[in-house]
Amino acid sequence: MNRRAFLASTVLGLSEGRASVAQQTPEIDLREVAKRKNLLVGSACSFRELQWPEFTQLLAEEASIVVPENEMKWQAIHPAPDRYDFRRGDALVAFAQAHGQLVRGHNLCWHEANPAWLLQTATPQNAAQLLTDHIATVAGHYAGKIHSWDVVNEAIHVEDGLPGGLRSSLWYRLLGARYIDLAYQAARRADPHALLTYNDYDLEQDSPQHELKRRAVLGLLRSMRERNVPIDALGLQSHLHASLQPYRWRGLHRFLDEVEGLQLQVFVTELDVDDTALPSDERERDRLVARLYREYLHNVLRHRAVKAVLTWGLCDRDSWLNWRQRRPDRLPRRPLPFDAELRPTPAYFAMREEISRAPSRTPWHPPAAG
Ligand code: G3I
């Protein structure tokens, strides 16, 4: 049975009983359903996955936007002080272009995935040059080919106790808060057509910890706007954790209203659902994971500033959640819209139904100056 026939035969059985456009026309893939709402949809993928023909066929059918999971990070793309390696990033960009897909760039400045040489040689004296040269070279190499760059990734970590909730990252320790402005200014110079995004996690739940982080992120975005630092979008990573208790979304709604008020676009950049706290039974796990996908998308897509939804991986086989460690019961996690054999999971149908029900929006738009 091919995938489309499989989709058609399973869609009614796996959904939770509410009729929808997508159910009535089960052959339609996510990419097409999202396009009708002017929404981009897609996932992270790795160079390794691009060697898997069944995977690439699925990715081409389902995604209108892709992002390299690791291939554009410092460690991968800048392995030695005077050497850049664009081969794997270029392969992903070529794949996307061949299939009419947009590409997100991830990322230009982070506290993780930095090469050993950088940690050994960066000093307060040379750090600004190292950072801006890297951004000029990498964003310059891909100029005109990138929909949006995660320029600075995960700069907020309230627990570190720094002003503004900033993280005590490598870049902060070398340069103070000004590293953020330097990074965005360098990215804009290198590629005026890419949307410049600030990307972070733990912004979704109604918990005191997430609320503190939302306040700090808003403070950062607002101050960047006030100081005319070029920024166009917020990346809401959305690594969610399923539990038996339903989530509440009031804090997220307030936050997204305020982000919209700053005239920023919003991209859901790394959606997945960790099922570690759920029982072993696979059907029950899938049901609860899909429920969280459904609830999350139902809430987040009410905000018309949300222009893209990307999951962090397309299939469970290669999810970072399975790479790190197994669940306590030793079973692999099932966090993504396709399982390890590339069969759609209930989360896939939940995504498709919620997107088909979402309000239509104006399409994403490039930077005003671009
Ligand atoms: O490819 C090597 C392999 O050859 C080696 O044997 C193995 C043993 O160490 O490591 C493999 O590389 C790992 C790579 O993932 C590929 O699986 C790296 O060590 C590991 O650090 C890397 O982890 C990535 C992590 O970011 C750090 O860069 C994950 O794949 C990736 O999913 C994760 O993605 C992040 C986003 O960039 C930012 N937001 C959170 C998200 C999840 O942590």
Side-chain angles (χ1 to χ4, degrees), residues 69-70 73 106 110 153-154 237 239 270 312 320 323:
E69 184 173 356
N70 291 309
K73 292 175 182 171
H106 177 81
W110 194 23
N153 198 39
E154 304 171 4
Q237 291 190 9
H239 293 290
E270 305 187 12
W312 202 240
W320 70 291
W323 180 76

Side-chain angles (χ1 to χ4, degrees), residues 52 78 85 91 124 135 138 180 192 209 218 237 242 263 284 311 368:
W52 182 10
H78 197 169
D85 184 350
I135 293 176
V138 175
I180 297 178
Q209 184 215 354
L218 267 177
Q237 291 190 9
Q263 314 297 323
E284 182 63 355
T311 53

Side-chain angles (χ1 to χ4, degrees), residues 52-84:
W52 182 10
E54 291 80 7
F55 176 92
T56 54
Q57 190 197 333
L58 187 61
L59 186 68
E61 287 172 3
E62 296 291 344
S64 52
I65 186 163
V66 294
V67 57
E69 184 173 356
N70 291 309
E71 289 72 6
M72 291 185 186
K73 292 175 182 171
W74 270 76
Q75 206 171 43
I77 215 163
H78 197 169
D82 45 12
R83 192 163 72 81
Y84 288 84

Side-chain angles (χ1 to χ4, degrees), residues 293-309:
Y293 266 91
R294 183 186 306 284
E295 285 176 7
Y296 174 70
L297 289 174
H298 177 75
N299 282 282
V300 94
L301 292 175
R302 277 165 47 188
H303 296 266
R304 290 172 205 256
V306 176
K307 308 290 186 188
V309 175

